[in-house]
Amino acid sequence: MVTILARWQVKPEFLENLLNVLPQLQQASMHEEGNISYEVFRDSQDETFFILLEKYEDENALEAHRLSDHFQSLVLKTIVPMLISRSVTKLIPYQ
């Protein structure tokens, strides 16, 4: 299993736009073959800060996600330009 922890901070003027796009991204990602879960969290103190916790069966499923049309169009072309910052960490079990 591969787990992805993505941290996004959206520019305040794009907050509503992001909130409109996130459900599309989440639904499309959850329907991918090899996706185990795709959760989106919002910081309780800073409404512009989001955490995405994604789980995939293996590296192939993660790569398929990154190459998918919805990732390319929604994340890379639509969401990334709205962000102040973005970091992505690939996590593996420690044991």
Side-chain angles (χ1 to χ4, degrees):
M1 180 172 59
V2 180
T3 302
I4 298 296
L5 179 67
R7 298 171 187 90
W8 294 351
Q9 185 170 18
V10 65
K11 297 171 188 172
E13 64 269 25
F14 292 115
L15 179 58
E16 289 303 316
N17 295 27
L18 179 64
L19 292 173
N20 289 329
V21 173
L22 273 175
Q24 297 171 49
L25 174 62
Q26 185 177 27
Q27 286 300 313
S29 298
M30 289 172 53
H31 287 95
E32 294 172 358
E33 185 175 336
N35 177 274
I36 296 169
S37 66
Y38 197 98
E39 298 178 275
V40 180
F41 300 90
R42 191 170 178 182
D43 189 299
S44 63
Q45 302 296 314
D46 182 350
E47 68 180 5
T48 66
F49 189 76
F50 293 80
I51 298 280
L52 286 74
L53 184 61
E54 311 168 33
K55 294 184 181 180
Y56 301 91
E57 290 178 0
D58 55 28
E59 291 285 342
N60 291 333
L62 173 59
E63 185 64 16
H65 168 68
R66 290 182 175 158
L67 294 174
S68 69
D69 289 342
H70 61 270
F71 182 85
Q72 296 293 316
S73 65
L74 293 176
V75 175
L76 298 183
K77 292 181 182 171
T78 303
I79 294 173
V80 168
M82 293 188 230
L83 302 179
I84 294 170
S85 65
R86 174 182 180 235
S87 68
V88 179
T89 305
K90 184 172 19 171
L91 306 171
I92 56 173
Y94 80 100
Q95 291 185 359

